Amino acid sequence: MRKRTLYVWAVAILCFVVLMIVTPAIPQSQEYHNFADQREFFGIPNTLNVISNFPFLVIGVIGLVLCFYKNYFKFSLQGELWGWTCFFIGVAAVGVGSSYYHLDPNDARLVWDRLPMTIAFTSIMAIFIIERIDEQKGTISIIPLLLAGVVSILYWRQAFCILCCRFFDDLRPYAVVQFVPCIVIPLMAILLPPMYTHSTYWLWAAAFYLLAKVEEAEDKVIYKWTHHIVSGHTLKHLCAAMVPVFLTLMLAKRTTETNRISLLKTWKVSWTKVNENGTRVESGEYLYTSVQSEDSH
């Protein structure tokens, strides 16, 4: 088993190195900082983009408190507590870091927007490994995954500056840290048997994050569609904040799964049930039961 784990890590690292070799660098576009809604209210620059981060801080603090308040979430594994603690710290820090960035959008401040997000992304990956693959491997992976997230930010903005007074200005490692969990987590939620009930909350969280990314990409278009009432980026913050909301609800409602069946298998079982027309699916074949009166003759 240990050899298999080493092979998996080796393949992952090899794939990443090949990706870095064969793909061009992705510099940070300065147009990214030019958000559609730049209105100022109550003396706060870019007001709606700033205050729309407040839900992250609220749900992050609530989740962090509930992690330790009389074991409200009923964690049965130490690694779970550590993983979810890091996740909620990251979520709360997003509320602070993203607000700080949107007060005066620039590359230097963007670091403090993205760094907390990498903490949340990588923590979730470790949690999934704990719950769906192996407790020990998942717990051990928390620190390496967190470091990978931090390094992806340092690679983009800081590391080369320290060495040579220059920046790499390359977002590829950050893109991997951000988007790999977006693909892997829904797949794992569907394919791997869960330790707990209410696994569909993972899919709701993934759907809202996908919607948030669409709103981010259509920032100016949405601002125009809403007649300059709200921008896509503001809506992106609100939708993205629904991710920790759904996960917090999941933690509060779930119980230990006695019959560990993947969502995919559960759906397959549902498809085999008798439908209203008397059609049943068994072993991948359709068995048709005729209920027409003329068949009885």
Side-chain angles (χ1 to χ4, degrees):
M1 186 65 70
R2 181 172 296 180
K3 285 186 177 181
R4 183 183 299 177
T5 303
L6 291 175
Y7 289 149
V8 170
W9 277 104
V11 170
I13 293 171
L14 179 61
C15 291
F16 177 75
V17 170
V18 171
L19 177 70
M20 294 293 288
I21 293 173
V22 302
T23 59
I26 305 175
Q28 176 63 60
S29 171
Q30 294 307 300
E31 180 61 23
Y32 178 83
H33 306 303
N34 184 26
F35 298 101
D37 188 358
Q38 300 182 18
R39 293 173 296 176
E40 178 178 323
F41 301 107
F42 311 109
I44 303 173
N46 310 306
T47 307
L48 293 185
N49 282 345
V50 171
I51 65 175
S52 58
N53 286 289
F54 185 66
F56 288 106
L57 179 60
V58 173
I59 191 63
V61 171
I62 291 174
L64 190 59
V65 170
L66 294 180
C67 279
F68 293 92
Y69 179 72
K70 298 180 180 180
N71 194 21
Y72 183 83
F73 291 140
K74 298 180 177 64
F75 293 131
S76 58
L77 305 173
Q78 188 65 41
E80 287 184 294
L81 177 61
W82 294 345
W84 284 109
T85 297
C86 290
F87 172 74
F88 284 116
I89 288 175
V91 170
V94 166
V96 177
S98 186
S99 296
Y100 173 71
Y101 162 66
H102 281 287
L103 287 170
D104 181 20
N106 57 65
D107 281 358
R109 289 186 175 222
L110 187 55
V111 171
W112 303 108
D113 179 19
R114 287 176 171 168
L115 187 59
M117 286 193 285
T118 65
I119 293 174
F121 293 141
T122 53
S123 299
I124 284 294
M125 283 298 300
I127 289 166
F128 248 83
I129 296 172
I130 292 172
E131 290 188 6
R132 310 270 174 149
I133 299 177
D134 184 86
E135 175 193 351
Q136 184 177 6
K137 290 186 178 70
T139 302
I140 293 174
S141 71
I142 293 176
I143 293 179
L145 286 171
L146 289 174
L147 288 176
V150 172
V151 168
S152 73
I153 298 297
L154 295 179
Y155 179 86
W156 162 56
R157 184 64 192 168
Q158 300 292 344
F160 209 56
C161 176
I162 295 172
L163 296 175
C164 306
C165 296
R166 292 175 57 192
F167 297 129
F168 275 127
D169 193 19
D170 185 359
L171 290 172
R172 286 177 298 172
Y174 173 74
V176 170
V177 168
Q178 179 175 183
F179 290 109
V180 166
C182 296
I183 298 171
V184 172
I185 287 175
L187 288 176
M188 292 174 72
I190 293 171
L191 298 176
L192 298 182
M195 181 184 295
Y196 300 100
T197 60
H198 293 83
S199 287
T200 52
Y201 277 78
W202 286 107
L203 302 184
W204 281 107
F208 268 89
Y209 186 76
L210 177 61
L211 177 60
K213 298 307 291 182
V214 173
E215 290 167 339
E216 179 182 35
E218 301 300 328
D219 180 32
K220 293 179 173 62
V221 173
I222 293 174
Y223 193 53
K224 182 178 180 181
W225 283 352
T226 60
H227 301 284
H228 296 183
I229 295 175
V230 64
S231 69
H233 203 85
T234 296
L235 293 177
K236 174 244 184 175
H237 289 161
L238 299 177
C239 277
M242 289 301 297
V243 173
V245 169
F246 273 109
L247 296 184
T248 303
L249 289 174
M250 178 191 70
L251 290 174
K253 297 176 67 173
R254 71 183 188 177
T255 56
T256 301
E257 183 65 80
T258 54
N259 187 18
R260 297 186 64 171
I261 302 176
S262 69
L263 282 177
L264 181 61
K265 183 173 288 188
T266 300
W267 294 338
K268 285 183 177 180
V269 170
S270 298
W271 297 336
T272 64
K273 292 182 178 179
V274 178
N275 62 27
E276 294 179 353
N277 297 322
T279 303
R280 184 172 181 174
V281 183
E282 293 186 25
S283 302
E285 298 179 358
Y286 287 94
L287 301 178
Y288 296 95
T289 304
S290 176
V291 294
Q292 298 178 353
S293 59
E294 60 268 27
D295 290 343
S296 61
H297 298 296

